[in-house]
Amino acid sequence: MLFNSYLFILVFLPISFFVYFGLNKIKLSIAAKAWLVLASLFFYGYWNLVYIPLIVGSILFNYAAGTLITRKKDRPAHKRAYLVGGIAGNLILLGYFKYMDFFISNINLIASSNIPLLHIVLPLGISFFTFTQIAYLVDTARGIAREYSFLNYALFVTFFPHLLAGPIIHHKEMMPQFDRLRNKIITHKHIAQGLTLFFIGLFKKVVIADTLVPYVNIGFDHTASLTFIESWVTSLCYTFQLYADFSGYTDMALGSSLLFNIKLPVNFNNPYRAVDIQDFWRRWHITLGRFMRDYLYIPLGGSKVSEPRLLFNAFIIAFIVGIWHGAGWTFVAWGLLHGMGLVIYRLWLKQPWRLPNFFAWFFTFNLVHIGAVFFRAKTFTDIVKFVKGMCGLSGIILPEALAPHLSVLKQYGIGFGRTMAAIGGDEKLIFKLALFSIPLLFFPTSNEIADKLKPAWGIAIIVSLIAIYAIFNLQNATEFIYFNF
């Protein structure tokens, strides 16, 4: 079930909300939690009922592993064995569904074999609920998480706002909220903040991200070559689409959760304003960065290792981040591109000079922006197509209106005509990108707007107009990008 659907907005969310608080009102708090678990499983299985046994099996496995780790807290060797076994079980599940066909195709390529692919359908949200449960097992082994109630654990994993595409949560930050008495009654402030967040996210998704989808799809999937302007515009379209789509989803997730008085962790903080690549990763997909820091970077030595080891660790993490996003070498290349950026940045810090903020931002944004081409491309041929286009090697076409003034450029192979014919765009697309860049680059974050929200008729009218406009455009809605991860 999509957040950006009439079924979710007008049926599923209201029913889930009123039944949950209705049960809490008559002191049936256990039944209220059970209702949320059942509602979340319905939400998850709406696409395909086959997914439900998978996630239930994963929950049972990890709850059992966590219980065994807790019971063996005074026997370190046993506790470690159960932890390793639990993590291995999660990685095997993720590896089978997400990477088995990728592994087979690479074996076939290297060994010139013909092993048939399994054509495994990737279960929704498996990357997210797998990492969430790995974090739980590690936190349990560290003594900072403990769960004796299976119902509570099932709710922790399945709670529908974060289930399909994050944020990646910790047990200790979410589950205590369900047991606070004040969180079991309807809170009007949270309703106002939650609806504001939800509809800002819906607006980002429907009005910004989905508007750019046609140009992105044509440019990446249906053209053999792109001119200079076409390649840069298409890549910028995807850069804005990716952020508006994923941050829009996160806004809707946080907003939905806040209706139930549950605060999920912030996942974005204006990442396109970053002035270095490290700053970018502190702002983009924050909970994934936190996971990598707490469960990989620090165990590898953190900042206490030698400089060469630290740079090597950065590449290892970049590789894992890349392959986590998708079973393909283009994702690995995207991760390693960011890893290279992190290495160069750390080496740059050793120099006595610094770039002015604007130039630091400009270089960072373009690293991220060019990296988005690797992220979206299905093959390295697509990447080469964009690199050639961005370097002007596939032709440069300027607007026809400039021909009388710049005709001298024709002798250098520069043409004049429709600048974005291959992707079906025109000069209005440039205006759209400029318009969309304003809130993404200059406005406060959605969370800042919601946190500072003060009830007023003006605010209510603005949010209502945003909601109405977004809802009336739902017929053109597409799936969220991160549903595929």
Side-chain angles (χ1 to χ4, degrees), residues 244-275:
D245 188 285
F246 193 19
S247 70
Y249 173 90
T250 300
D251 290 341
M252 297 171 79
L254 269 62
S256 300
S257 182
L258 202 52
L259 296 178
F260 296 87
N261 298 323
I262 306 301
K263 292 186 177 181
L264 297 180
V266 173
N267 217 21
F268 289 92
N269 181 21
N270 288 327
Y272 290 166
R273 299 183 198 178
V275 293

Side-chain angles (χ1 to χ4, degrees), residues 89-241:
N90 281 286
L91 294 179
I92 289 170
L93 180 73
L94 182 63
Y96 174 77
F97 281 99
K98 192 165 184 175
Y99 303 108
M100 184 57 72
D101 277 344
F102 177 63
F103 176 75
I104 292 173
S105 63
N106 280 281
I107 291 294
N108 287 339
L109 181 65
I110 295 170
S112 299
S113 56
N114 194 29
I115 304 171
L117 299 180
L118 301 178
H119 299 292
I120 301 169
V121 177
L122 183 66
L124 295 174
I126 189 170
S127 297
F128 289 93
F129 69 70
T130 299
F131 268 29
T132 293
Q133 294 188 99
I134 288 175
Y136 169 75
L137 294 181
V138 176
D139 287 350
T140 300
R142 291 174 175 174
I144 57 179
R146 182 178 299 173
E147 184 54 78
Y148 296 107
S149 165
F150 176 73
L151 178 62
N152 282 352
Y153 184 76
L155 179 56
F156 160 65
V157 177
T158 63
F159 186 45
F160 69 87
H162 76 83
L163 178 57
L164 295 184
I168 300 171
I169 57 173
H170 291 302
H171 181 275
K172 62 182 179 180
E173 69 189 359
M174 189 179 89
M175 291 315 297
Q177 298 184 63
F178 280 103
D179 294 324
R180 293 173 190 157
L181 291 177
R182 64 177 180 273
N183 284 353
K184 296 181 180 181
I185 59 175
I186 293 174
T187 305
H188 295 95
K189 178 183 177 182
H190 286 167
I191 291 176
Q193 292 175 324
L195 290 177
T196 299
L197 263 177
F198 184 90
F199 286 117
I200 288 176
L202 183 63
F203 186 89
K204 284 182 184 178
K205 168 62 178 169
V206 174
V207 179
I208 299 179
D210 288 347
T211 298
L212 300 173
V213 166
Y215 309 108
V216 172
N217 288 347
I218 293 173
F220 276 92
D221 302 330
H222 302 291
T223 58
S225 66
L226 295 168
T227 64
F228 180 78
I229 293 178
E230 288 168 346
S231 57
W232 281 97
V233 169
T234 303
S235 57
L236 279 171
C237 282
Y238 183 66
T239 298
F240 287 137
Q241 180 206 347

Side-chain angles (χ1 to χ4, degrees), residues 351-369:
Q351 307 304 318
W353 57 83
R354 294 290 178 268
L355 287 174
N357 275 351
F358 173 79
F359 291 104
W361 167 82
F362 180 81
F363 285 119
T364 302
F365 178 80
N366 277 288
L367 173 61
V368 172
H369 161 222

Side-chain angles (χ1 to χ4, degrees), residues 248-397:
Y249 173 90
T250 300
D251 290 341
M252 297 171 79
L254 269 62
S256 300
S257 182
L258 202 52
L259 296 178
F260 296 87
N261 298 323
I262 306 301
K263 292 186 177 181
L264 297 180
V266 173
N267 217 21
F268 289 92
N269 181 21
N270 288 327
Y272 290 166
R273 299 183 198 178
V275 293
D276 61 66
I277 194 63
Q278 186 169 285
D279 185 30
F280 171 80
W281 278 105
R282 290 194 186 106
R283 297 165 173 265
W284 175 276
H285 206 338
I286 296 170
T287 57
L288 175 63
R290 180 180 65 173
F291 180 95
M292 291 296 171
R293 180 197 66 204
D294 293 345
Y295 305 109
L296 189 60
Y297 178 71
I298 291 177
L300 286 173
S303 58
K304 298 179 180 179
V305 295
S306 64
E307 188 71 15
R309 174 70 183 275
L310 192 148
L311 299 180
F312 175 75
N313 289 346
F315 263 97
I316 293 295
I317 293 171
F319 172 82
I320 293 174
V321 168
I323 201 68
W324 177 83
H325 277 86
W329 289 111
T330 55
F331 287 108
V332 173
W334 169 77
L336 294 179
L337 179 67
H338 278 265
M340 187 183 304
L342 288 167
V343 168
I344 292 172
Y345 171 68
R346 290 198 64 88
L347 295 175
W348 177 264
L349 288 178
K350 296 181 177 296
Q351 307 304 318
W353 57 83
R354 294 290 178 268
L355 287 174
N357 275 351
F358 173 79
F359 291 104
W361 167 82
F362 180 81
F363 285 119
T364 302
F365 178 80
N366 277 288
L367 173 61
V368 172
H369 161 222
I370 294 170
V373 172
F374 288 69
F375 191 87
R376 174 59 174 79
K378 294 179 180 178
T379 66
F380 282 101
T381 301
D382 293 331
I383 294 174
V384 171
K385 174 180 73 176
F386 270 88
V387 172
K388 288 177 65 177
M390 292 170 130
C391 294
L393 300 179
S394 297
I396 300 175
I397 306 295

